[in-house]
Amino acid sequence: MNDSRIVVDHIRLETDKTFEEVAKALGRELGALDPDMVRAAAESGDPEAAKARIEAMAGPSGFMLFGTFDHGALLRIVGQKQKAVQYLVGNPLSALKMTRHDIRAALYAPLRVLLYEHEEGKTCVEYDWPSSLFGQFGNAQVTDVARTLDRNLEQLVLKAIH
């Protein structure tokens, strides 16, 4: 077993916007991943056409929604009424730019973003800085893509909360 420790830069932003407003804004910026279309594109035998089909799924932010998990629903099991949704966001082509150089980058692709209501009536968005996650692999090509993801993820979140 190989055990290592990394430092992760964690971002927390809050806004006076409602949870619903921020969720709607995120939705406007995210495309939707269609796994069947990705599979078909990958099997087409035409790499450029496959990339174009996958890129067409991206939203204005360049990201796609891979899925969500409603942690608020889970909290209701124990009587809490806090709204909280985890978003899985990314772009398979960005992941490919990294995993082709180091498959371990797949551990963090897609990225996770948590949207939740804070106790003081604020709405919060939290995520880990992609370059701090992917940088642990020590591969300059992976880290370069991760730095682009830093900027793109920051722009996505700032647009949603302002």
Side-chain angles (χ1 to χ4, degrees), residues 19-50:
F19 176 91
E20 290 76 14
E21 289 172 321
V22 177
K24 187 180 243 184
L26 285 171
R28 283 191 303 267
E29 293 298 313
L30 296 171
L33 177 75
D34 181 342
D36 293 331
M37 185 180 289
V38 172
R39 192 174 305 105
E43 294 170 358
S44 72
D46 183 350
E48 292 310 311

Coordinates of all heavy atoms in Angstrom, one line a residue, residues 19-50:
F19 N -31.3 29.8 -2.5 CA -30.9 28.5 -3.0 C -31.4 28.2 -4.4 O -30.7 27.8 -5.3 CB -31.3 27.4 -2.0 CG -31.0 26.0 -2.4 CD1 -29.8 25.4 -2.0 CD2 -31.9 25.3 -3.2 CE1 -29.5 24.1 -2.4 CE2 -31.5 24.0 -3.6 CZ -30.4 23.4 -3.2
E20 N -32.7 28.5 -4.5 CA -33.3 28.2 -5.8 C -32.8 29.1 -6.9 O -32.6 28.7 -8.1 CB -34.9 28.4 -5.7 CG -35.6 27.4 -4.9 CD -35.4 27.5 -3.4 OE1 -35.0 28.6 -2.9 OE2 -35.7 26.6 -2.7
E21 N -32.5 30.4 -6.6 CA -31.9 31.3 -7.6 C -30.5 30.8 -8.1 O -30.2 30.8 -9.3 CB -31.8 32.7 -7.1 CG -33.1 33.4 -6.9 CD -32.9 34.8 -6.2 OE1 -32.1 34.8 -5.2 OE2 -33.6 35.7 -6.6
V22 N -29.7 30.4 -7.1 CA -28.4 29.9 -7.5 C -28.5 28.6 -8.2 O -27.8 28.4 -9.2 CB -27.5 29.8 -6.2 CG1 -26.1 29.2 -6.6 CG2 -27.3 31.1 -5.5
A23 N -29.3 27.7 -7.8 CA -29.5 26.4 -8.5 C -30.0 26.7 -10.0 O -29.5 26.0 -10.9 CB -30.5 25.5 -7.8
K24 N -30.9 27.6 -10.1 CA -31.3 27.9 -11.5 C -30.2 28.5 -12.3 O -30.0 28.2 -13.5 CB -32.5 28.9 -11.4 CG -33.2 29.1 -12.8 CD -34.3 30.1 -12.6 CE -35.6 29.4 -13.0 NZ -36.8 30.3 -12.9
A25 N -29.4 29.4 -11.7 CA -28.3 30.0 -12.5 C -27.2 28.9 -12.8 O -26.7 29.0 -14.0 CB -27.6 31.1 -11.6
L26 N -27.0 28.0 -12.0 CA -26.1 26.9 -12.3 C -26.6 26.1 -13.5 O -25.9 25.8 -14.4 CB -25.8 26.0 -11.1 CG -24.9 26.5 -10.0 CD1 -24.9 25.6 -8.8 CD2 -23.5 26.7 -10.5
G27 N -27.9 25.8 -13.4 CA -28.5 25.1 -14.5 C -28.4 25.7 -15.8 O -28.3 25.0 -16.9
R28 N -28.5 27.0 -15.9 CA -28.4 27.8 -17.1 C -27.0 27.7 -17.7 O -26.8 27.8 -18.9 CB -28.8 29.3 -16.9 CG -30.2 29.5 -16.8 CD -30.5 31.0 -16.9 NE -29.8 31.8 -15.9 CZ -30.3 32.1 -14.7 NH1 -31.5 31.8 -14.4 NH2 -29.6 32.9 -13.9
E29 N -26.0 27.5 -16.9 CA -24.6 27.5 -17.3 C -24.1 26.1 -17.7 O -23.0 26.0 -18.3 CB -23.7 28.1 -16.3 CG -24.0 29.6 -16.1 CD -23.7 30.4 -17.4 OE1 -22.6 30.2 -18.0 OE2 -24.5 31.2 -17.8
L30 N -24.8 25.1 -17.2 CA -24.3 23.7 -17.4 C -25.1 23.0 -18.5 O -26.3 23.1 -18.6 CB -24.5 22.9 -16.1 CG -23.8 23.3 -14.9 CD1 -24.2 22.6 -13.7 CD2 -22.3 23.1 -15.1
G31 N -24.3 22.3 -19.4 CA -24.9 21.4 -20.4 C -25.3 20.1 -19.6 O -25.1 20.0 -18.4
A32 N -25.8 19.2 -20.4 CA -26.2 17.9 -19.8 C -25.4 16.8 -20.5 O -25.4 16.7 -21.7 CB -27.7 17.7 -19.9
L33 N -24.7 16.0 -19.7 CA -24.0 14.9 -20.2 C -25.0 13.8 -20.6 O -25.8 13.4 -19.8 CB -23.0 14.3 -19.2 CG -22.2 13.1 -19.6 CD1 -21.2 13.5 -20.6 CD2 -21.7 12.4 -18.4
D34 N -24.8 13.3 -21.8 CA -25.6 12.1 -22.3 C -24.6 11.0 -22.4 O -23.9 10.9 -23.4 CB -26.3 12.4 -23.6 CG -27.1 11.2 -24.1 OD1 -26.9 10.1 -23.6 OD2 -28.0 11.5 -25.0
P35 N -24.5 10.1 -21.4 CA -23.5 9.0 -21.5 C -23.7 8.1 -22.7 O -22.7 7.6 -23.2 CB -23.8 8.2 -20.2 CG -24.5 9.1 -19.3 CD -25.3 10.0 -20.2
D36 N -24.9 7.9 -23.2 CA -25.1 7.1 -24.4 C -24.5 7.7 -25.6 O -23.9 7.1 -26.5 CB -26.6 6.8 -24.6 CG -27.1 5.9 -23.5 OD1 -26.4 5.0 -23.0 OD2 -28.3 6.0 -23.2
M37 N -24.6 9.1 -25.7 CA -24.0 9.8 -26.8 C -22.5 9.8 -26.7 O -21.8 9.6 -27.7 CB -24.5 11.2 -26.8 CG -24.0 12.0 -28.1 SD -24.6 13.7 -28.2 CE -26.3 13.5 -28.5
V38 N -22.0 9.9 -25.5 CA -20.5 9.8 -25.4 C -20.0 8.4 -25.8 O -19.0 8.3 -26.6 CB -20.1 10.1 -23.9 CG1 -18.6 9.8 -23.7 CG2 -20.4 11.5 -23.5
R39 N -20.7 7.4 -25.4 CA -20.3 6.0 -25.8 C -20.4 5.9 -27.3 O -19.5 5.3 -27.9 CB -21.2 5.0 -25.1 CG -20.8 3.6 -25.2 CD -21.6 2.6 -24.4 NE -21.7 3.0 -23.0 CZ -22.8 3.5 -22.4 NH1 -23.9 3.8 -23.1 NH2 -22.8 3.9 -21.1
A40 N -21.5 6.3 -27.9 CA -21.6 6.2 -29.4 C -20.6 7.0 -30.1 O -20.0 6.5 -31.1 CB -23.0 6.7 -29.8
A41 N -20.3 8.2 -29.6 CA -19.3 9.0 -30.2 C -17.9 8.3 -30.1 O -17.2 8.3 -31.1 CB -19.2 10.4 -29.5
A42 N -17.6 7.7 -29.0 CA -16.3 7.1 -28.8 C -16.2 5.9 -29.7 O -15.1 5.5 -30.2 CB -16.1 6.7 -27.4
E43 N -17.3 5.2 -30.0 CA -17.3 4.0 -30.8 C -17.4 4.3 -32.3 O -17.4 3.4 -33.1 CB -18.4 3.1 -30.4 CG -18.2 2.5 -29.0 CD -19.4 1.7 -28.4 OE1 -20.4 1.7 -29.1 OE2 -19.3 1.2 -27.3
S44 N -17.6 5.6 -32.7 CA -17.8 5.9 -34.1 C -16.6 5.7 -35.0 O -16.8 5.6 -36.2 CB -18.3 7.4 -34.1 OG -17.2 8.3 -33.9
G45 N -15.4 5.7 -34.4 CA -14.3 5.5 -35.3 C -13.8 6.8 -35.9 O -12.8 6.9 -36.6
D46 N -14.5 7.9 -35.6 CA -14.1 9.3 -36.1 C -13.8 10.2 -34.9 O -14.7 10.8 -34.4 CB -15.2 9.8 -37.0 CG -14.8 11.1 -37.6 OD1 -13.8 11.8 -37.3 OD2 -15.6 11.6 -38.5
P47 N -12.5 10.3 -34.5 CA -12.2 11.0 -33.3 C -12.6 12.5 -33.3 O -13.1 13.0 -32.3 CB -10.7 10.9 -33.2 CG -10.3 9.7 -34.0 CD -11.3 9.6 -35.1
E48 N -12.5 13.2 -34.5 CA -12.9 14.6 -34.5 C -14.4 14.7 -34.4 O -14.8 15.7 -33.7 CB -12.3 15.2 -35.8 CG -10.8 15.3 -35.8 CD -10.2 16.0 -34.6 OE1 -10.7 17.0 -34.1 OE2 -9.3 15.4 -34.0
A49 N -15.1 13.9 -35.1 CA -16.6 13.9 -35.0 C -17.0 13.6 -33.6 O -17.9 14.2 -33.0 CB -17.2 13.0 -36.0
A50 N -16.3 12.7 -32.9 CA -16.7 12.3 -31.6 C -16.4 13.5 -30.6 O -17.3 13.8 -29.8 CB -15.8 11.1 -31.1

